Amino acid sequence: MGDVLAGIHATWEFETDAVLIRFERGIRAPKLFQTLRERRIPHEALASVTLSPGKRGTVVLHAVPRVGADPLMAVADGQLKEGCDPYRLVLPADREARAESRADELRACLGPERGEPAERFLVTAPEPPLQFKAYDGKASFDGRNISFRWFWTGASTAKWKAGDQSFAVSDLSGVEWRSPDVLDGCLRLVRRGVGTAPVQPDQDPAAVVFGLGYGAVHESLPFAAAVLQAVRDTDRAVPVPVPAGAGRRDPADIADRIRHLGDLHQAGLVTDEEFTAKKAELLAEL
């Protein structure tokens, strides 16, 4: 490949194993694109590629990601407006022939797994530290902990009584995001072992709510995607217990797991104590 397609608000560079998307940062570009700046989409993360007529003399090259391949799209869960879809490249109609050629080449690169959900995230989420202002508080994420600091002007009595909150990534099982473009927009952390009682987000200390000008898509969605990526990475670092009487594990497999655990520790996603304890568990399986 090696070709480049420059469209409206983005440029796609076609590499041998991925598509590198660079987003424009002009005043007319969607704010989400300006926040994302650049994304590398491996071919294995794609389910399909289409080319269709657009509006007012344009064509649209659309790459559809596999389910579970991109933390950003997993969190968005179909709530993004068409114009904010980072997988759409809008081009002038006179570039249709080139776009069709690139689409054909991309389709040829898609493997047999394209119709199956991805077992892990294949596209990288925005990196922390990240923060944004919601209607009732300020949310911050440093890569290991998520903090909610309440605003007296917007937080409910229940949240004030609970006090400012801090959640370790290792204590979470997921994150829910509801677009601020609809009523009851919010970001809610899903905690391990905590029931899913129907608590309203404005009463839940594990959630921040959005309002006019607070919790905008381009701030809260990348934040939620980064948290989800960290939660999944932490889950993958937890060793699987070996049943009593089971044979010894393959030393090479144990070594790979320890290396992965070390990467998470170096990235700040696992504490010193967690790293030491889990490494000892893995070594005990040899």
Side-chain angles (χ1 to χ4, degrees), residues 181-219:
D181 293 335
V182 298
L183 294 176
D184 300 324
C186 69
L187 182 148
R188 191 198 303 263
L189 303 176
V190 182
R191 292 167 289 178
R192 299 181 190 276
V194 177
T196 56
V199 179
Q200 291 296 319
D202 65 334
Q203 303 296 312
D204 186 355
V208 289
V209 298
F210 305 149
L212 184 62
Y214 294 93
V217 170
H218 71 282
E219 296 174 331

PDB file of all heavy atoms in Angstrom, residues 181-219:
ATOM      1  N   ASP A 181     -25.128  14.179  24.716  1.00  0.00           N
ATOM      2  CA  ASP A 181     -26.050  14.683  23.702  1.00  0.00           C
ATOM      3  C   ASP A 181     -27.480  14.198  23.924  1.00  0.00           C
ATOM      4  O   ASP A 181     -28.390  14.575  23.191  1.00  0.00           O
ATOM      5  CB  ASP A 181     -25.587  14.270  22.298  1.00  0.00           C
ATOM      6  CG  ASP A 181     -24.283  14.947  21.905  1.00  0.00           C
ATOM      7  OD1 ASP A 181     -24.002  16.035  22.450  1.00  0.00           O
ATOM      8  OD2 ASP A 181     -23.552  14.402  21.070  1.00  0.00           O
ATOM      9  N   VAL A 182     -27.682  13.315  24.909  1.00  0.00           N
ATOM     10  CA  VAL A 182     -29.022  12.838  25.253  1.00  0.00           C
ATOM     11  C   VAL A 182     -29.273  13.140  26.724  1.00  0.00           C
ATOM     12  O   VAL A 182     -28.357  13.480  27.480  1.00  0.00           O
ATOM     13  CB  VAL A 182     -29.165  11.321  24.997  1.00  0.00           C
ATOM     14  CG1 VAL A 182     -28.958  11.011  23.533  1.00  0.00           C
ATOM     15  CG2 VAL A 182     -28.189  10.521  25.844  1.00  0.00           C
ATOM     16  N   LEU A 183     -30.530  13.014  27.148  1.00  0.00           N
ATOM     17  CA  LEU A 183     -30.865  13.260  28.540  1.00  0.00           C
ATOM     18  C   LEU A 183     -30.193  12.215  29.425  1.00  0.00           C
ATOM     19  O   LEU A 183     -29.974  11.079  29.030  1.00  0.00           O
ATOM     20  CB  LEU A 183     -32.381  13.221  28.736  1.00  0.00           C
ATOM     21  CG  LEU A 183     -33.177  14.334  28.041  1.00  0.00           C
ATOM     22  CD1 LEU A 183     -34.663  14.110  28.243  1.00  0.00           C
ATOM     23  CD2 LEU A 183     -32.765  15.702  28.568  1.00  0.00           C
ATOM     24  N   ASP A 184     -29.876  12.604  30.648  1.00  0.00           N
ATOM     25  CA  ASP A 184     -29.276  11.703  31.631  1.00  0.00           C
ATOM     26  C   ASP A 184     -27.899  11.208  31.201  1.00  0.00           C
ATOM     27  O   ASP A 184     -27.520  10.080  31.511  1.00  0.00           O
ATOM     28  CB  ASP A 184     -30.190  10.500  31.905  1.00  0.00           C
ATOM     29  CG  ASP A 184     -31.550  10.922  32.451  1.00  0.00           C
ATOM     30  OD1 ASP A 184     -31.579  11.897  33.219  1.00  0.00           O
ATOM     31  OD2 ASP A 184     -32.548  10.281  32.102  1.00  0.00           O
ATOM     32  N   GLY A 185     -27.145  12.035  30.482  1.00  0.00           N
ATOM     33  CA  GLY A 185     -25.788  11.654  30.127  1.00  0.00           C
ATOM     34  C   GLY A 185     -24.945  11.507  31.386  1.00  0.00           C
ATOM     35  O   GLY A 185     -25.080  12.286  32.343  1.00  0.00           O
ATOM     36  N   CYS A 186     -24.070  10.490  31.397  1.00  0.00           N
ATOM     37  CA  CYS A 186     -23.252  10.277  32.590  1.00  0.00           C
ATOM     38  C   CYS A 186     -22.097   9.344  32.266  1.00  0.00           C
ATOM     39  O   CYS A 186     -22.069   8.678  31.229  1.00  0.00           O
ATOM     40  CB  CYS A 186     -24.078   9.680  33.730  1.00  0.00           C
ATOM     41  SG  CYS A 186     -24.597   7.968  33.441  1.00  0.00           S
ATOM     42  N   LEU A 187     -21.142   9.283  33.174  1.00  0.00           N
ATOM     43  CA  LEU A 187     -20.084   8.294  33.171  1.00  0.00           C
ATOM     44  C   LEU A 187     -20.158   7.590  34.516  1.00  0.00           C
ATOM     45  O   LEU A 187     -20.102   8.239  35.566  1.00  0.00           O
ATOM     46  CB  LEU A 187     -18.716   8.937  32.970  1.00  0.00           C
ATOM     47  CG  LEU A 187     -17.511   7.988  32.907  1.00  0.00           C
ATOM     48  CD1 LEU A 187     -16.448   8.557  31.983  1.00  0.00           C
ATOM     49  CD2 LEU A 187     -16.905   7.747  34.294  1.00  0.00           C
ATOM     50  N   ARG A 188     -20.325   6.257  34.460  1.00  0.00           N
ATOM     51  CA  ARG A 188     -20.462   5.480  35.695  1.00  0.00           C
ATOM     52  C   ARG A 188     -19.410   4.376  35.731  1.00  0.00           C
ATOM     53  O   ARG A 188     -19.226   3.649  34.750  1.00  0.00           O
ATOM     54  CB  ARG A 188     -21.857   4.862  35.782  1.00  0.00           C
ATOM     55  CG  ARG A 188     -22.170   4.253  37.164  1.00  0.00           C
ATOM     56  CD  ARG A 188     -23.351   3.288  37.101  1.00  0.00           C
ATOM     57  NE  ARG A 188     -24.552   3.858  36.582  1.00  0.00           N
ATOM     58  CZ  ARG A 188     -25.560   4.335  37.323  1.00  0.00           C
ATOM     59  NH1 ARG A 188     -25.465   4.324  38.634  1.00  0.00           N
ATOM     60  NH2 ARG A 188     -26.656   4.803  36.747  1.00  0.00           N
ATOM     61  N   LEU A 189     -18.729   4.251  36.859  1.00  0.00           N
ATOM     62  CA  LEU A 189     -17.759   3.183  37.058  1.00  0.00           C
ATOM     63  C   LEU A 189     -18.478   1.955  37.599  1.00  0.00           C
ATOM     64  O   LEU A 189     -19.291   2.060  38.524  1.00  0.00           O
ATOM     65  CB  LEU A 189     -16.674   3.628  38.034  1.00  0.00           C
ATOM     66  CG  LEU A 189     -15.912   4.904  37.652  1.00  0.00           C
ATOM     67  CD1 LEU A 189     -14.927   5.283  38.754  1.00  0.00           C
ATOM     68  CD2 LEU A 189     -15.200   4.745  36.322  1.00  0.00           C
ATOM     69  N   VAL A 190     -18.169   0.808  37.021  1.00  0.00           N
ATOM     70  CA  VAL A 190     -18.777  -0.448  37.463  1.00  0.00           C
ATOM     71  C   VAL A 190     -17.791  -1.142  38.393  1.00  0.00           C
ATOM     72  O   VAL A 190     -16.709  -1.552  37.973  1.00  0.00           O
ATOM     73  CB  VAL A 190     -19.118  -1.353  36.268  1.00  0.00           C
ATOM     74  CG1 VAL A 190     -19.799  -2.632  36.750  1.00  0.00           C
ATOM     75  CG2 VAL A 190     -20.007  -0.618  35.272  1.00  0.00           C
ATOM     76  N   ARG A 191     -18.175  -1.275  39.655  1.00  0.00           N
ATOM     77  CA  ARG A 191     -17.276  -1.828  40.666  1.00  0.00           C
ATOM     78  C   ARG A 191     -17.476  -3.337  40.824  1.00  0.00           C
ATOM     79  O   ARG A 191     -18.594  -3.831  40.745  1.00  0.00           O
ATOM     80  CB  ARG A 191     -17.504  -1.128  42.002  1.00  0.00           C
ATOM     81  CG  ARG A 191     -17.071   0.333  42.004  1.00  0.00           C
ATOM     82  CD  ARG A 191     -17.591   1.074  43.208  1.00  0.00           C
ATOM     83  NE  ARG A 191     -19.032   1.294  43.121  1.00  0.00           N
ATOM     84  CZ  ARG A 191     -19.753   1.892  44.077  1.00  0.00           C
ATOM     85  NH1 ARG A 191     -19.151   2.299  45.176  1.00  0.00           N
ATOM     86  NH2 ARG A 191     -21.048   2.067  43.907  1.00  0.00           N
ATOM     87  N   ARG A 192     -16.386  -4.030  41.088  1.00  0.00           N
ATOM     88  CA  ARG A 192     -16.452  -5.471  41.292  1.00  0.00           C
ATOM     89  C   ARG A 192     -17.220  -5.777  42.579  1.00  0.00           C
ATOM     90  O   ARG A 192     -17.006  -5.145  43.605  1.00  0.00           O
ATOM     91  CB  ARG A 192     -15.049  -6.073  41.407  1.00  0.00           C
ATOM     92  CG  ARG A 192     -14.185  -5.877  40.186  1.00  0.00           C
ATOM     93  CD  ARG A 192     -12.818  -6.529  40.380  1.00  0.00           C
ATOM     94  NE  ARG A 192     -11.895  -6.152  39.327  1.00  0.00           N
ATOM     95  CZ  ARG A 192     -11.819  -6.736  38.139  1.00  0.00           C
ATOM     96  NH1 ARG A 192     -12.651  -7.739  37.870  1.00  0.00           N
ATOM     97  NH2 ARG A 192     -10.949  -6.346  37.235  1.00  0.00           N
ATOM     98  N   GLY A 193     -18.099  -6.752  42.488  1.00  0.00           N
ATOM     99  CA  GLY A 193     -18.805  -7.212  43.677  1.00  0.00           C
ATOM    100  C   GLY A 193     -19.891  -6.297  44.172  1.00  0.00           C
ATOM    101  O   GLY A 193     -20.470  -6.535  45.235  1.00  0.00           O
ATOM    102  N   VAL A 194     -20.184  -5.218  43.439  1.00  0.00           N
ATOM    103  CA  VAL A 194     -21.240  -4.291  43.846  1.00  0.00           C
ATOM    104  C   VAL A 194     -22.452  -4.529  42.961  1.00  0.00           C
ATOM    105  O   VAL A 194     -22.342  -4.537  41.735  1.00  0.00           O
ATOM    106  CB  VAL A 194     -20.783  -2.821  43.731  1.00  0.00           C
ATOM    107  CG1 VAL A 194     -21.918  -1.878  44.091  1.00  0.00           C
ATOM    108  CG2 VAL A 194     -19.583  -2.588  44.635  1.00  0.00           C
ATOM    109  N   GLY A 195     -23.595  -4.734  43.551  1.00  0.00           N
ATOM    110  CA  GLY A 195     -24.812  -5.005  42.797  1.00  0.00           C
ATOM    111  C   GLY A 195     -25.190  -3.857  41.888  1.00  0.00           C
ATOM    112  O   GLY A 195     -24.777  -2.705  42.068  1.00  0.00           O
ATOM    113  N   THR A 196     -26.003  -4.165  40.895  1.00  0.00           N
ATOM    114  CA  THR A 196     -26.425  -3.158  39.916  1.00  0.00           C
ATOM    115  C   THR A 196     -27.804  -2.614  40.276  1.00  0.00           C
ATOM    116  O   THR A 196     -28.736  -2.676  39.482  1.00  0.00           O
ATOM    117  CB  THR A 196     -26.448  -3.763  38.505  1.00  0.00           C
ATOM    118  OG1 THR A 196     -27.308  -4.941  38.522  1.00  0.00           O
ATOM    119  CG2 THR A 196     -25.056  -4.152  38.052  1.00  0.00           C
ATOM    120  N   ALA A 197     -27.935  -2.115  41.504  1.00  0.00           N
ATOM    121  CA  ALA A 197     -29.200  -1.519  41.928  1.00  0.00           C
ATOM    122  C   ALA A 197     -29.484  -0.281  41.079  1.00  0.00           C
ATOM    123  O   ALA A 197     -28.562   0.445  40.687  1.00  0.00           O
ATOM    124  CB  ALA A 197     -29.130  -1.137  43.406  1.00  0.00           C
ATOM    125  N   PRO A 198     -30.758  -0.018  40.772  1.00  0.00           N
ATOM    126  CA  PRO A 198     -31.118   1.108  39.887  1.00  0.00           C
ATOM    127  C   PRO A 198     -30.963   2.462  40.567  1.00  0.00           C
ATOM    128  O   PRO A 198     -31.943   3.161  40.842  1.00  0.00           O
ATOM    129  CB  PRO A 198     -32.573   0.805  39.540  1.00  0.00           C
ATOM    130  CG  PRO A 198     -33.099   0.046  40.722  1.00  0.00           C
ATOM    131  CD  PRO A 198     -31.940  -0.791  41.205  1.00  0.00           C
ATOM    132  N   VAL A 199     -29.744   2.827  40.921  1.00  0.00           N
ATOM    133  CA  VAL A 199     -29.475   4.122  41.544  1.00  0.00           C
ATOM    134  C   VAL A 199     -29.288   5.160  40.447  1.00  0.00           C
ATOM    135  O   VAL A 199     -28.546   4.940  39.488  1.00  0.00           O
ATOM    136  CB  VAL A 199     -28.209   4.054  42.418  1.00  0.00           C
ATOM    137  CG1 VAL A 199     -27.913   5.401  43.059  1.00  0.00           C
ATOM    138  CG2 VAL A 199     -28.368   2.970  43.478  1.00  0.00           C
ATOM    139  N   GLN A 200     -29.950   6.292  40.569  1.00  0.00           N
ATOM    140  CA  GLN A 200     -29.795   7.357  39.587  1.00  0.00           C
ATOM    141  C   GLN A 200     -28.364   7.891  39.617  1.00  0.00           C
ATOM    142  O   GLN A 200     -27.755   7.996  40.692  1.00  0.00           O
ATOM    143  CB  GLN A 200     -30.782   8.493  39.869  1.00  0.00           C
ATOM    144  CG  GLN A 200     -32.230   8.127  39.622  1.00  0.00           C
ATOM    145  CD  GLN A 200     -32.477   7.804  38.159  1.00  0.00           C
ATOM    146  OE1 GLN A 200     -31.956   8.468  37.263  1.00  0.00           O
ATOM    147  NE2 GLN A 200     -33.276   6.773  37.909  1.00  0.00           N
ATOM    148  N   PRO A 201     -27.794   8.223  38.454  1.00  0.00           N
ATOM    149  CA  PRO A 201     -26.402   8.695  38.425  1.00  0.00           C
ATOM    150  C   PRO A 201     -26.132   9.888  39.333  1.00  0.00           C
ATOM    151  O   PRO A 201     -25.036   9.997  39.895  1.00  0.00           O
ATOM    152  CB  PRO A 201     -26.191   9.064  36.947  1.00  0.00           C
ATOM    153  CG  PRO A 201     -27.164   8.209  36.212  1.00  0.00           C
ATOM    154  CD  PRO A 201     -28.371   8.115  37.098  1.00  0.00           C
ATOM    155  N   ASP A 202     -27.122  10.770  39.505  1.00  0.00           N
ATOM    156  CA  ASP A 202     -26.866  11.939  40.352  1.00  0.00           C
ATOM    157  C   ASP A 202     -26.821  11.575  41.835  1.00  0.00           C
ATOM    158  O   ASP A 202     -26.391  12.390  42.659  1.00  0.00           O
ATOM    159  CB  ASP A 202     -27.919  13.018  40.099  1.00  0.00           C
ATOM    160  CG  ASP A 202     -29.318  12.589  40.510  1.00  0.00           C
ATOM    161  OD1 ASP A 202     -29.584  11.368  40.517  1.00  0.00           O
ATOM    162  OD2 ASP A 202     -30.142  13.468  40.832  1.00  0.00           O
ATOM    163  N   GLN A 203     -27.210  10.318  42.174  1.00  0.00           N
ATOM    164  CA  GLN A 203     -27.151   9.860  43.555  1.00  0.00           C
ATOM    165  C   GLN A 203     -26.025   8.838  43.775  1.00  0.00           C
ATOM    166  O   GLN A 203     -25.797   8.417  44.898  1.00  0.00           O
ATOM    167  CB  GLN A 203     -28.490   9.212  43.953  1.00  0.00           C
ATOM    168  CG  GLN A 203     -29.693  10.104  43.795  1.00  0.00           C
ATOM    169  CD  GLN A 203     -29.658  11.308  44.707  1.00  0.00           C
ATOM    170  OE1 GLN A 203     -29.396  11.166  45.903  1.00  0.00           O
ATOM    171  NE2 GLN A 203     -29.909  12.503  44.185  1.00  0.00           N
ATOM    172  N   ASP A 204     -25.354   8.448  42.708  1.00  0.00           N
ATOM    173  CA  ASP A 204     -24.350   7.388  42.762  1.00  0.00           C
ATOM    174  C   ASP A 204     -22.949   7.990  42.882  1.00  0.00           C
ATOM    175  O   ASP A 204     -22.469   8.660  41.958  1.00  0.00           O
ATOM    176  CB  ASP A 204     -24.449   6.535  41.497  1.00  0.00           C
ATOM    177  CG  ASP A 204     -23.543   5.318  41.539  1.00  0.00           C
ATOM    178  OD1 ASP A 204     -22.766   5.183  42.500  1.00  0.00           O
ATOM    179  OD2 ASP A 204     -23.607   4.499  40.598  1.00  0.00           O
ATOM    180  N   PRO A 205     -22.236   7.750  43.981  1.00  0.00           N
ATOM    181  CA  PRO A 205     -20.877   8.299  44.137  1.00  0.00           C
ATOM    182  C   PRO A 205     -19.877   7.732  43.142  1.00  0.00           C
ATOM    183  O   PRO A 205     -18.764   8.257  43.033  1.00  0.00           O
ATOM    184  CB  PRO A 205     -20.504   7.895  45.574  1.00  0.00           C
ATOM    185  CG  PRO A 205     -21.799   7.617  46.260  1.00  0.00           C
ATOM    186  CD  PRO A 205     -22.688   7.053  45.208  1.00  0.00           C
ATOM    187  N   ALA A 206     -20.258   6.668  42.422  1.00  0.00           N
ATOM    188  CA  ALA A 206     -19.370   6.088  41.407  1.00  0.00           C
ATOM    189  C   ALA A 206     -19.702   6.616  40.015  1.00  0.00           C
ATOM    190  O   ALA A 206     -19.271   6.032  39.017  1.00  0.00           O
ATOM    191  CB  ALA A 206     -19.466   4.565  41.421  1.00  0.00           C
ATOM    192  N   ALA A 207     -20.440   7.715  39.951  1.00  0.00           N
ATOM    193  CA  ALA A 207     -20.834   8.281  38.652  1.00  0.00           C
ATOM    194  C   ALA A 207     -20.755   9.794  38.688  1.00  0.00           C
ATOM    195  O   ALA A 207     -20.921  10.423  39.738  1.00  0.00           O
ATOM    196  CB  ALA A 207     -22.253   7.840  38.291  1.00  0.00           C
ATOM    197  N   VAL A 208     -20.477  10.380  37.520  1.00  0.00           N
ATOM    198  CA  VAL A 208     -20.609  11.827  37.340  1.00  0.00           C
ATOM    199  C   VAL A 208     -21.636  12.048  36.251  1.00  0.00           C
ATOM    200  O   VAL A 208     -21.752  11.249  35.310  1.00  0.00           O
ATOM    201  CB  VAL A 208     -19.271  12.502  36.966  1.00  0.00           C
ATOM    202  CG1 VAL A 208     -18.318  12.505  38.152  1.00  0.00           C
ATOM    203  CG2 VAL A 208     -18.624  11.830  35.765  1.00  0.00           C
ATOM    204  N   VAL A 209     -22.404  13.129  36.378  1.00  0.00           N
ATOM    205  CA  VAL A 209     -23.451  13.407  35.403  1.00  0.00           C
ATOM    206  C   VAL A 209     -23.051  14.590  34.527  1.00  0.00           C
ATOM    207  O   VAL A 209     -22.252  15.441  34.931  1.00  0.00           O
ATOM    208  CB  VAL A 209     -24.804  13.688  36.095  1.00  0.00           C
ATOM    209  CG1 VAL A 209     -25.259  12.476  36.887  1.00  0.00           C
ATOM    210  CG2 VAL A 209     -24.714  14.903  37.008  1.00  0.00           C
ATOM    211  N   PHE A 210     -23.596  14.601  33.326  1.00  0.00           N
ATOM    212  CA  PHE A 210     -23.267  15.636  32.348  1.00  0.00           C
ATOM    213  C   PHE A 210     -24.387  16.670  32.279  1.00  0.00           C
ATOM    214  O   PHE A 210     -25.543  16.386  32.597  1.00  0.00           O
ATOM    215  CB  PHE A 210     -23.061  15.022  30.964  1.00  0.00           C
ATOM    216  CG  PHE A 210     -22.033  13.919  30.929  1.00  0.00           C
ATOM    217  CD1 PHE A 210     -22.141  12.877  30.025  1.00  0.00           C
ATOM    218  CD2 PHE A 210     -20.954  13.921  31.797  1.00  0.00           C
ATOM    219  CE1 PHE A 210     -21.200  11.858  29.981  1.00  0.00           C
ATOM    220  CE2 PHE A 210     -19.996  12.918  31.779  1.00  0.00           C
ATOM    221  CZ  PHE A 210     -20.130  11.872  30.860  1.00  0.00           C
ATOM    222  N   GLY A 211     -24.032  17.852  31.838  1.00  0.00           N
ATOM    223  CA  GLY A 211     -24.998  18.919  31.644  1.00  0.00           C
ATOM    224  C   GLY A 211     -24.528  19.801  30.513  1.00  0.00           C
ATOM    225  O   GLY A 211     -23.504  19.540  29.886  1.00  0.00           O
ATOM    226  N   LEU A 212     -25.256  20.851  30.232  1.00  0.00           N
ATOM    227  CA  LEU A 212     -24.909  21.750  29.139  1.00  0.00           C
ATOM    228  C   LEU A 212     -23.501  22.310  29.349  1.00  0.00           C
ATOM    229  O   LEU A 212     -23.237  23.026  30.303  1.00  0.00           O
ATOM    230  CB  LEU A 212     -25.922  22.891  29.050  1.00  0.00           C
ATOM    231  CG  LEU A 212     -25.740  23.858  27.880  1.00  0.00           C
ATOM    232  CD1 LEU A 212     -25.901  23.116  26.553  1.00  0.00           C
ATOM    233  CD2 LEU A 212     -26.743  25.008  27.960  1.00  0.00           C
ATOM    234  N   GLY A 213     -22.575  21.921  28.459  1.00  0.00           N
ATOM    235  CA  GLY A 213     -21.204  22.400  28.559  1.00  0.00           C
ATOM    236  C   GLY A 213     -20.345  21.615  29.533  1.00  0.00           C
ATOM    237  O   GLY A 213     -19.168  21.935  29.715  1.00  0.00           O
ATOM    238  N   TYR A 214     -20.895  20.578  30.143  1.00  0.00           N
ATOM    239  CA  TYR A 214     -20.144  19.782  31.115  1.00  0.00           C
ATOM    240  C   TYR A 214     -20.175  18.308  30.705  1.00  0.00           C
ATOM    241  O   TYR A 214     -21.247  17.722  30.561  1.00  0.00           O
ATOM    242  CB  TYR A 214     -20.735  19.926  32.521  1.00  0.00           C
ATOM    243  CG  TYR A 214     -20.599  21.313  33.099  1.00  0.00           C
ATOM    244  CD1 TYR A 214     -21.622  22.246  32.938  1.00  0.00           C
ATOM    245  CD2 TYR A 214     -19.445  21.692  33.784  1.00  0.00           C
ATOM    246  CE1 TYR A 214     -21.506  23.528  33.463  1.00  0.00           C
ATOM    247  CE2 TYR A 214     -19.314  22.968  34.311  1.00  0.00           C
ATOM    248  CZ  TYR A 214     -20.344  23.885  34.145  1.00  0.00           C
ATOM    249  OH  TYR A 214     -20.221  25.145  34.660  1.00  0.00           O
ATOM    250  N   GLY A 215     -18.981  17.722  30.551  1.00  0.00           N
ATOM    251  CA  GLY A 215     -18.902  16.313  30.167  1.00  0.00           C
ATOM    252  C   GLY A 215     -19.037  16.108  28.672  1.00  0.00           C
ATOM    253  O   GLY A 215     -19.593  15.111  28.221  1.00  0.00           O
ATOM    254  N   ALA A 216     -18.541  17.038  27.900  1.00  0.00           N
ATOM    255  CA  ALA A 216     -18.670  16.957  26.448  1.00  0.00           C
ATOM    256  C   ALA A 216     -18.076  15.661  25.902  1.00  0.00           C
ATOM    257  O   ALA A 216     -17.181  15.061  26.510  1.00  0.00           O
ATOM    258  CB  ALA A 216     -17.973  18.155  25.798  1.00  0.00           C
ATOM    259  N   VAL A 217     -18.573  15.233  24.733  1.00  0.00           N
ATOM    260  CA  VAL A 217     -18.150  13.971  24.120  1.00  0.00           C
ATOM    261  C   VAL A 217     -16.639  13.902  23.970  1.00  0.00           C
ATOM    262  O   VAL A 217     -16.011  12.892  24.307  1.00  0.00           O
ATOM    263  CB  VAL A 217     -18.832  13.785  22.751  1.00  0.00           C
ATOM    264  CG1 VAL A 217     -18.222  12.599  22.006  1.00  0.00           C
ATOM    265  CG2 VAL A 217     -20.327  13.578  22.918  1.00  0.00           C
ATOM    266  N   HIS A 218     -16.029  14.974  23.466  1.00  0.00           N
ATOM    267  CA  HIS A 218     -14.600  14.921  23.163  1.00  0.00           C
ATOM    268  C   HIS A 218     -13.730  14.841  24.417  1.00  0.00           C
ATOM    269  O   HIS A 218     -12.539  14.537  24.332  1.00  0.00           O
ATOM    270  CB  HIS A 218     -14.182  16.130  22.309  1.00  0.00           C
ATOM    271  CG  HIS A 218     -14.192  17.440  23.046  1.00  0.00           C
ATOM    272  ND1 HIS A 218     -15.343  18.141  23.316  1.00  0.00           N
ATOM    273  CD2 HIS A 218     -13.177  18.186  23.567  1.00  0.00           C
ATOM    274  CE1 HIS A 218     -15.052  19.258  23.954  1.00  0.00           C
ATOM    275  NE2 HIS A 218     -13.743  19.304  24.134  1.00  0.00           N
ATOM    276  N   GLU A 219     -14.319  15.097  25.594  1.00  0.00           N
ATOM    277  CA  GLU A 219     -13.566  14.980  26.843  1.00  0.00           C
ATOM    278  C   GLU A 219     -13.910  13.693  27.586  1.00  0.00           C
ATOM    279  O   GLU A 219     -13.018  12.972  28.042  1.00  0.00           O
ATOM    280  CB  GLU A 219     -13.874  16.182  27.744  1.00  0.00           C
ATOM    281  CG  GLU A 219     -13.421  17.509  27.166  1.00  0.00           C
ATOM    282  CD  GLU A 219     -13.866  18.679  28.022  1.00  0.00           C
ATOM    283  OE1 GLU A 219     -14.914  18.585  28.696  1.00  0.00           O
ATOM    284  OE2 GLU A 219     -13.158  19.699  28.013  1.00  0.00           O
TER     285      GLU A 219
END
